[in-house]
Amino acid sequence: MSKILVTGGCGYIGSHTIVDLADHGFDVISADNLSRGFGEMNERVSKLLEKSIQNYPVDLSDAAATRTLFEANPDIEGIIHFAAYKSVPESVEAPLMYYKNNIGSLVNILECAREFGVKNVVFSSSCSVYGNADTLPVTETAPLKEAESPYAATKQMGEQICADFVKGNPGYKVVILRYFNPVGAHESTLIGEMNQRPENLVPIVTQTAIGIRAEMTVFGNDYDTRDGSCVRDYIHVMDIAHAHTLALQKSIDNALPKDCEVFNLGTGEGVTVLELIQAFESVSGLKLNYNIGPRRAGDVIKVYADNTKARTQLGWQPKYDITAMMQTAWSWEQALAKEAVR
Ligand code: WQD
């Protein structure tokens, strides 16, 4: 049974990916220093899988600490590297913290991969590398625009680091996955997005609906889109998770054309903010309390994926539509309220 190291395994996408990996026969360990992740998520994942998943609370930007993790697990066959800070506004406030953590941890992980002979790496990237793409749907060959934030810059640099690592280390492979907008939760409602003060849309919608927030603001309805609000490609977190399992297996099987491949992970459908709210209202049966406010600085107007490459080369097929995404996000918020976790 191949042992896989998931860094950031106590985070939103990391925890859901651990579940999908384990469901598909992989032996998984997690490394998460809980600076952003939640230790409780590890307990929840273990409960969901009915087996304990070990988390190593390692600061991956510390080279020596990262090394001890690999010394303790010489049988690691693959790494999925999620661990990173990912708040756009925070990255603007504290760029050096972002470069030190996001770039430092990636470099340490790749150095250990080389030293310990781990030849299969999956790197968590983001559609934010595209910025405001000139043509839509956006393909993996689209030119990368200037990063809109230090966070996006760490993803662009991270991809370059992965490509250069592979060039300099024959036999090593890195699969780069560019997520569009991950949303929703595992159907069990045992795991989901845990964030007391989210900045992203869907948890703000569900927190408004459940009453944690009195109301929410739609950041602008005067864009050049079908209803004036921004367009995004929302993708269910379990579809994202499964793409990682497929990518890892293809890497282990040496079944990808090049040693460093990039894939878009989106449904290929653009959905506006107002359409998402309408989908949520029909799923929940609630009227959401929102107002229309000014545009948010740095927002991309429209972005959605061409996911042909992931569908053909990874055999990936997103299963969840926007209704199912809203249903699982809402079920998760309601489950949290019941547990009064907050
Ligand atoms: C989506 C839309 C907002 C909140 C971010 C990161 C990106 C990636 C995905 C990590 C926008 C609107 C939001 C609100 C609103 N993260 N909105 N009211 O900005 O597309 O991408 O998450 O990889 O790097 O930047 O996601 O959910 O913040 O915004 O109207 O209270 O919802 O203006 O149009 P975004 P988001």
Side-chain angles (χ1 to χ4, degrees):
M1 191 190 262
S2 302
K3 178 184 269 189
I4 306 302
L5 166 63
V6 172
T7 73
C10 296
Y12 175 40
I13 305 174
S15 55
H16 287 76
T17 300
I18 289 176
V19 170
D20 196 79
L21 285 166
D23 283 349
H24 289 83
F26 287 95
D27 176 25
V28 189
I29 57 170
S30 164
D32 194 314
N33 68 352
L34 307 181
S35 62
R36 288 299 191 284
F38 293 81
E40 181 199 334
M41 196 56 86
N42 183 252
E43 291 148 32
R44 289 169 174 269
V45 165
S46 302
K47 184 176 170 196
L48 174 52
L49 293 172
E50 294 177 347
K51 74 174 175 183
S52 100
I53 299 288
Q54 184 164 6
N55 179 60
Y56 293 80
V58 171
D59 175 0
L60 299 170
S61 65
D62 174 336
T66 304
R67 217 174 159 284
T68 57
L69 174 63
F70 285 80
E71 283 164 346
N73 295 276
D75 51 348
I76 292 171
E77 188 170 356
I79 303 165
I80 302 186
H81 183 50
F82 291 105
Y85 297 152
K86 68 172 189 81
S87 162
V88 169
E90 184 186 46
S91 77
V92 173
E93 289 302 308
L96 296 184
M97 182 177 86
Y98 269 65
Y99 291 122
K100 186 173 179 183
N101 185 66
N102 292 10
I103 303 301
S105 55
L106 173 62
V107 168
N108 289 338
I109 283 289
L110 293 177
E111 280 190 334
C112 285
R114 183 180 56 185
E115 184 180 343
F116 292 86
V118 182
K119 296 187 185 289
N120 306 289
V121 178
V122 178
F123 175 65
S124 164
S125 189
S126 163
C127 65
S128 52
V129 301
Y130 294 118
N132 265 302
D134 297 328
T135 45
L136 292 172
V138 65
T139 65
E140 289 84 354
T141 54
L144 304 192
K145 295 292 187 70
E146 187 186 340
E148 304 262 343
S149 67
Y151 160 76
T154 65
K155 290 303 180 185
Q156 287 184 351
M157 292 173 192
E159 292 192 5
Q160 187 59 56
I161 290 166
C162 291
D164 291 342
F165 168 74
V166 160
K167 277 191 208 117
N169 294 277
Y172 286 79
K173 293 147 284 176
V174 180
V175 181
I176 295 169
L177 300 179
R178 291 176 181 162
Y179 316 148
F180 282 68
N181 286 57
V183 297
H186 189 271
E187 286 159 0
S188 66
T189 70
L190 274 173
I191 58 173
E193 189 167 6
M194 266 250 206
N195 188 338
Q196 264 80 350
R197 282 173 303 287
E199 294 150 349
N200 48 328
L201 179 63
V202 172
I204 287 174
V205 166
T206 57
Q207 286 188 359
T208 305
I210 202 100
I212 292 170
R213 292 164 176 254
E215 66 172 345
M216 64 160 286
T217 300
V218 171
F219 295 139
N221 69 345
D222 57 352
Y223 288 102
D224 179 18
T225 65
R226 46 182 181 266
D227 62 17
S229 62
C230 290
V231 176
R232 294 288 184 276
D233 186 334
Y234 298 97
I235 176 81
H236 196 281
V237 66
M238 283 313 292
D239 280 328
I240 294 263
H242 191 52
H244 288 75
T245 303
L246 293 170
L248 192 64
Q249 192 59 62
K250 288 283 183 185
S251 178
I252 291 170
D253 298 344
N254 289 306
L256 292 172
K258 296 200 303 290
D259 286 345
C260 185
E261 288 285 2
V262 184
F263 296 97
N264 284 339
L265 297 185
T267 63
E269 299 293 318
V271 170
T272 71
V273 176
L274 292 170
E275 287 166 348
L276 182 142
I277 289 174
Q278 281 144 27
F280 178 81
E281 289 181 329
S282 59
V283 153
S284 62
L286 299 172
K287 179 84 187 71
L288 193 70
N289 187 14
Y290 68 89
N291 61 69
I292 304 290
R295 297 180 173 189
R296 179 172 70 174
D299 263 343
V300 163
I301 301 167
K302 235 188 264 188
V303 66
Y304 52 94
D306 178 324
N307 65 8
T308 308
K309 189 178 173 189
R311 283 190 291 109
T312 52
Q313 291 191 20
L314 298 181
W316 181 64
Q317 186 52 51
K319 286 190 328 190
Y320 297 84
D321 63 9
I322 194 70
T323 300
M325 292 180 219
M326 292 303 101
Q327 184 58 62
T328 56
W330 181 226
S331 301
W332 164 244
E333 189 68 64
Q334 290 173 296
L336 281 180
K338 273 200 207 91
E339 294 166 13
V341 163
R342 294 174 191 288

